């Protein structure tokens, strides 16, 4: 049975999305003019396709792996800009946008960043070299993005040259808080520091101290692992094993490494809790194998996949045990949901992502549920072009809504609003219809001071350019045979504690404790620990204290 209602609509499908880049304007994913233009960088595709193993000619190639939830973030940016233009916030000054796909690749993102730096109002895209950019007017005034921290870091170095403000809704790596290295970078989410600390608190409070960690072997994964290691140690939690999986699926050791990770998990039976810092696609691959091997554990999800519908709808996902995750705070996004409902009425000529999505709907139309999900993310732009003729043109009404990851939609809208409020500040006594009215570096100064109202709460960037919006602690629960992602608690990063809405939620949390994940039993009064598996202080034997010594404390506090 189809999960989503189908609506037939008269779309005209053009096939030009597949020609990656003939001239520079082809390179833009979605755009709309305005007095002040904001750039966007999003990993709408998860990889770039190379005809050979390594690029030989310097040409930007097609991409593959359409990411619905990131496509939704580009729509959230557009929605926010349309709302601002249709409000009195900027009193007549209009915002435009230019959104580019990074395909999760640094090189592709750098090409877009280079374009952002090029001079405004010239027919050619020329980046002028200068020793002093104080008076320079680039094409855009600010950037929203990128998605992956690895990409944000690289782009930020380039944008810092002109001090163009960059506000990311998703890059959480701790290192990006360093304002000496990343002076023009800000974000509307907290740094991973708070997330890894929250995870360690959860683990400690549940009485677990012998756990496994699996991460993607890229900057995101490595930084998260390092940060988690420090936090775990501070909370006396020991890491029994760490496994890293290659960042690129094209790496031919990928499958062996997944197998090796699964073997580790199976062999280390005392470990029942596994922390997973991975990209969604990797989690899918890992879980597929884990389900085949009947692995049943408690999985702790990082923000990257804690709300991924693609994963929670996997067949047999409930056999894996329990998933507890951390996600960025979820707020009311009903106006965005309305926007999505009317999306099929929107013109598509200035939005390649939307055109591609419509083509994907047609190509995958014959499939249902999970297969449909996989089909959408499994097509390359090249295949699409070959495939699209003679297909029905359909619209699945609720598919986009079902795939929303609310935390990221909220952080994207916040990013645009923060920029708009800063622009308002700059335009107080200037004619902002003139694109050279103010420079990006002036906007950056304004942005650092901006206060916005979010759900009746005043929020602003802290001195590191982060927003401490907090986290939701999520629990994946089976309801009527389907996996639902529910909010179990809130985590207050400032005070480091969990807040429960009611007793029932509190009980869900306490229930987690019933599964142990420790290396050794707690020692009893009169006993002391003798460490057996150095360097792990969590593994010990309990031996009776020597004569004339005693301990009246239990193991947890020793
Ligand atoms: C506001 O901006 C959006 C996107 O740039 C544009 O489609 C719309 O026409 C603009 N509205 C006004 C009133 O300028
Ligand atoms: C713009 O604002 C008006 C009045 O607030 C509203 O009726 C209209 O639907 C809005 N349009 C869009 C595209 O949001
Ligand atoms: C853009 O450049 C053209 C000619 O190069 C000029 O006539 C026009 O006024 C410029 N527009 C702005 C907004 O500076
Ligand atoms: C850079 O250019 C601005 C504007 O032209 C000027 O005011 C400033 O003194 C210059 N800075 C340096 C260090 O040369
Ligand atoms: C999670 O993904 C985001 C991009 O969506 C990235 O910026 C962040 O660093 C990632 N975190 C980890 C721990 O991989
Ligand atoms: C252990 O002994 C100390 C000193 O006599 C006492 O203050 C403490 O309350 C005792 N703790 C427990 C758990 O019995």
């Amino acid at each position: 049975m189809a999960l989503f209602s189908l609506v037939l609509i008269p779309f005209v499908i053009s096939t030009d999305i597949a020609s990656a880049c003939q001239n520079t304007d082809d390179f833009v994913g979605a755009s709309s003019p305005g007095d002040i233009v904001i750039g966007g960088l999003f990993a709408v595709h998860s990889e770039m396709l190379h005809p050979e193993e390594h690029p030989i000619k310097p040409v930007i190639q097609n991409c593959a792996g359409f990411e619905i939830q990131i496509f939704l973030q580009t729509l959230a940016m557009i929605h926010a800009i349309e709302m601002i233009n249709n409000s009195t916030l900027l009193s007549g000054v209009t915002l435009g946008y230019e959104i580019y796909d990074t395909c999760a690749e640094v090189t592709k993102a750098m090409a877009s960043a280079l374009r952002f730096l090029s001079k405004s109002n010239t027919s050619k895209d020329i980046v002028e070299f200068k020793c002093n950019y104080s008076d320079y007017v680039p094409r855009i005034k600010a950037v929203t993005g990128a998605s992956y921290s690895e990409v944000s870091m690289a782009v930020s170095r380039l944008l810092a040259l002109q001090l163009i403000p960059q506000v990311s809704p998703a890059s959480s790596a701790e290192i990006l808080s360093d304002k000496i290295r990343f002076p023009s970078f800000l974000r509307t989410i907290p740094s991973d520091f708070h997330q890894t600390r929250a995870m360690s608190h959860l683990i400690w409070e549940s009485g677990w101290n012998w756990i496994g960690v699996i991460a993607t072997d890229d900057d995101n994964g490595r930084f998260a692992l390092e940060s988690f290691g420090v936090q775990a140690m501070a909370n006396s939690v020991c890491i029994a094993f760490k496994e890293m999986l290659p960042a690129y699926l094209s790496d031919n050791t990928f499958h062996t490494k997944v197998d090796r990770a699964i073997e580790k998990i199976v062999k280390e039976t005392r470990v029942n809790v596994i922390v997973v810092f991975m990209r969604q696609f990797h989690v899918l691959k890992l879980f597929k194998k884990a389900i085949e091997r009947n692995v049943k554990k408690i999985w702790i999800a990082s923000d990257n996949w804690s709300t991924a519908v693609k994963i929670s709808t996997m067949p047999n996902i409930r056999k894996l045990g329990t998933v507890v995750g951390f996600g960025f705070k979820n707020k009311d996004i009903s106006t965005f949901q309305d926007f999505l409902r009317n999306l099929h009425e929107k013109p598509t000529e200035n939005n390649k992502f939307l055109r591609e999505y419509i083509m994907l709907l047609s190509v995958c139309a014959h499939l249902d549920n999970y297969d449909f999900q996989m089909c959408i993310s499994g097509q390359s732009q090249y295949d699409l072009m070959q495939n699209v003729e003679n297909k029905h043109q359909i619209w699945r009404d609720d598919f986009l809504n079902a795939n929303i990851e609310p935390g990221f939609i909220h952080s994207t809208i916040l990013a645009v609003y923060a920029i708009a409020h800063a622009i308002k500040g700059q335009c107080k006594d200037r004619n902002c219809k003139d694109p050279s009215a103010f420079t990006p570096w002036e906007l950056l100064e304004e942005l650092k001071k901006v206060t916005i109202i979010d759900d009746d709460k005043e929020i602003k960037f802290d001195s590191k350019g982060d927003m401490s919006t907090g986290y939701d602690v999520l629990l994946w629960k089976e309801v009527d045979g389907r996996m639902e992602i529910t909010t179990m608690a809130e985590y207050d990063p400032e005070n480091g504690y969990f807040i429960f809405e009611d007793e029932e939620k509190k009980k869900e949390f306490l229930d987690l404790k019933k599964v142990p994940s420790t290396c050794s039993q707690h020692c009893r009064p009169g006993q002391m620990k003798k460490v057996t598996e150095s360097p792990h202080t969590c593994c010990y034997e309990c031996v009776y204290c020597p004569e004339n010594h005693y301990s009246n404390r239990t193991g947890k506090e020793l």
Side-chain angles (χ1 to χ4, degrees):
M1 195 192 70
L3 231 179
F4 307 104
S5 53
L6 307 186
V7 187
L8 285 166
I9 39 152
F11 267 122
V12 180
I13 297 182
S14 66
T15 51
D16 67 333
I17 54 125
S19 51
C21 190
Q22 306 288 336
N23 66 53
T24 48
D25 275 331
D26 286 348
F27 197 50
V28 188
S31 62
S32 176
D35 300 323
I36 294 169
V37 180
I38 303 178
L41 290 175
F42 293 89
V44 179
H45 289 87
S46 59
E47 59 179 329
M48 195 150 100
L49 295 171
H50 296 294
E52 279 86 27
E53 201 169 325
H54 304 289
I56 293 169
K57 286 190 182 159
V59 177
I60 291 170
Q61 303 291 346
N62 285 319
C63 296
F66 192 79
E67 297 272 8
I68 289 285
Q69 82 283 2
I70 298 188
F71 167 57
L72 280 161
Q73 286 174 46
T74 66
L75 294 176
M77 174 171 170
I78 293 171
H79 165 62
I81 288 177
E82 287 185 357
M83 294 229 294
I84 291 162
N85 280 354
N86 195 27
S87 76
T88 53
L89 183 68
L90 296 180
S91 41
V93 174
T94 57
L95 294 183
Y97 56 84
E98 257 182 32
I99 305 177
Y100 296 81
D101 185 1
T102 65
C103 300
E105 283 232 0
V106 167
T107 311
K108 178 120 195 270
M110 292 303 250
S112 314
L114 207 55
R115 191 150 200 244
F116 289 153
L117 298 184
S118 67
K119 277 185 102 163
S120 134
N121 197 27
T122 51
S123 56
K124 292 215 174 86
D125 299 312
I126 297 166
V127 183
E128 220 175 276
F129 171 73
K130 284 173 157 272
C131 301
N132 180 350
Y133 281 107
S134 304
D135 284 339
Y136 188 89
V137 184
R139 204 178 167 85
I140 47 88
K141 286 280 196 276
V143 176
T144 309
S147 306
Y148 293 103
S149 297
E150 186 166 55
V151 175
S152 279
M153 278 177 222
V155 165
S156 177
R157 300 288 185 144
L158 204 51
L159 296 178
L161 187 62
Q162 294 181 12
L163 288 177
I164 295 179
Q166 175 188 2
V167 187
S168 173
S171 297
S172 53
E174 208 175 324
I175 190 173
L176 284 163
S177 297
D178 182 342
K179 290 299 91 120
I180 294 170
R181 275 185 265 198
F182 305 102
S184 59
F185 180 85
L186 304 117
R187 55 185 157 198
T188 48
I189 50 168
S191 129
D192 274 342
F193 167 81
H194 293 289
Q195 181 171 200
T196 54
R197 201 163 75 122
M199 285 180 175
S200 314
H201 282 171
L202 176 85
I203 291 166
W204 183 82
E205 285 204 19
S206 303
W208 301 318
N209 66 14
W210 191 236
I211 57 152
V213 186
I214 307 182
T216 298
D217 192 359
D218 61 2
D219 282 0
N220 301 330
R222 256 174 277 127
F223 282 124
L225 201 60
E226 189 185 307
S227 165
F228 179 75
V230 172
Q231 299 290 347
M233 192 137 76
N235 284 289
S236 316
V237 171
C238 300
I239 298 175
F241 58 82
K242 280 183 220 175
E243 291 293 320
M244 304 287 278
L245 302 184
Y248 297 102
L249 294 173
S250 50
D251 185 320
N252 51 25
T253 64
F254 186 84
H255 290 281
T256 4
K257 290 203 170 136
V258 172
D259 289 339
R260 202 179 68 187
I262 299 277
E263 285 321 309
K264 265 274 172 56
I265 295 171
V266 171
K267 230 173 82 203
E268 185 43 282
T269 51
R270 288 170 299 179
V271 169
N272 280 315
V273 174
I274 297 166
V275 179
V276 181
F277 292 110
M278 291 205 292
R279 297 190 185 180
Q280 297 191 358
F281 207 65
H282 291 112
V283 179
L284 275 176
K285 298 272 171 198
L286 177 77
F287 278 9
K288 209 159 161 241
K289 288 245 166 96
I291 291 169
E292 280 166 20
R293 292 289 317 264
N294 284 323
V295 173
K296 195 170 178 195
K297 299 285 169 190
I298 292 177
W299 306 89
I300 300 190
S302 66
D303 62 86
N304 293 61
W305 64 276
S306 62
T307 51
V309 178
K310 186 153 79 180
I311 301 170
S312 70
T313 54
M314 266 176 93
N316 294 319
I317 182 82
R318 62 200 161 76
K319 290 192 181 161
L320 268 178
T322 308
V323 175
V324 187
F326 287 83
F328 299 123
K329 278 226 65 65
N330 177 352
K331 292 274 161 68
D332 175 28
I333 49 166
S334 51
T335 61
F336 180 60
Q337 288 167 319
D338 294 340
F339 170 88
L340 291 183
R341 268 179 220 113
N342 299 323
L343 189 62
H344 62 273
E345 289 161 8
K346 283 223 171 290
T348 60
E349 61 271 14
N350 66 351
N351 194 331
K352 279 190 194 155
F353 307 135
L354 182 55
R355 286 210 297 276
E356 181 169 352
Y357 174 65
I358 291 164
M359 285 162 74
L360 286 166
L361 287 179
S362 314
V363 170
C364 302
H366 59 292
L367 297 166
D368 269 339
N369 301 346
Y370 188 67
D371 294 328
F372 180 71
Q373 223 7 302
M374 289 296 103
C375 174
I376 294 272
S377 56
Q379 308 284 325
S380 77
Q381 289 180 318
Y382 179 76
D383 293 339
L384 256 189
M385 193 174 61
Q386 311 299 313
N387 233 322
V388 79
E389 280 134 79
N390 305 323
K391 288 285 195 302
H392 311 291
Q393 293 153 29
I394 60 139
W395 186 259
R396 291 203 182 198
D397 227 10
D398 290 335
F399 183 68
L400 285 177
N401 255 313
N403 273 279
I404 285 182
E405 297 192 25
F408 287 111
I409 298 302
H410 176 243
S411 62
T412 305
I413 294 175
L414 266 187
V416 176
Y417 268 89
I419 294 170
H421 275 92
I423 290 173
K424 183 190 167 92
Q426 283 295 304
C427 294
K428 237 182 283 166
D429 30 42
R430 287 180 169 124
N431 171 21
C432 281
K433 293 256 172 212
D434 172 6
S436 56
F438 62 90
T439 57
W441 63 267
E442 289 172 298
L443 185 64
L444 176 63
E445 283 312 298
E446 190 84 41
L447 195 54
K448 288 177 183 166
K449 295 179 295 200
V450 133
T451 305
I452 43 183
I453 310 288
D454 180 42
D455 252 16
D456 301 329
K457 233 175 84 188
E458 279 194 355
I459 49 171
K460 54 195 305 183
F461 297 105
D462 64 19
S463 59
K464 294 172 177 160
D466 303 334
M467 260 185 197
S468 288
T469 46
Y471 296 95
D472 284 330
V473 187
L474 308 159
L475 178 68
W476 292 18
K477 264 203 310 205
E478 203 182 338
V479 180
D480 301 333
R482 297 229 320 261
M483 198 55 91
E484 269 188 22
I485 302 171
T486 65
T487 304
M488 180 171 72
E490 257 178 67
Y491 179 78
D492 173 353
E494 244 134 75
N495 301 302
Y497 55 63
F498 298 95
I499 303 157
F500 299 92
E501 204 176 281
D502 52 39
E503 282 304 308
E504 201 179 317
K505 302 267 180 195
K506 180 96 187 252
K507 186 170 172 298
E508 287 175 351
F509 182 72
L510 294 175
D511 279 347
L512 290 176
K513 273 191 181 185
K514 290 183 183 157
V515 179
S517 196
T518 55
C519 186
S520 309
Q521 303 277 334
H522 295 317
C523 294
R524 288 196 302 271
Q527 294 184 323
M528 59 183 253
K529 291 175 178 178
K530 185 165 161 251
V531 173
T532 51
E533 264 178 58
S534 107
H536 292 299
T537 51
C538 302
C539 299
Y540 47 80
E541 282 168 29
C542 294
V543 294
Y544 282 95
C545 299
E547 239 174 292
N548 299 325
H549 291 74
Y550 80 100
S551 155
N552 66 351
R553 292 174 301 169
T554 58
K556 204 172 164 187
E557 302 142 43
L558 275 179

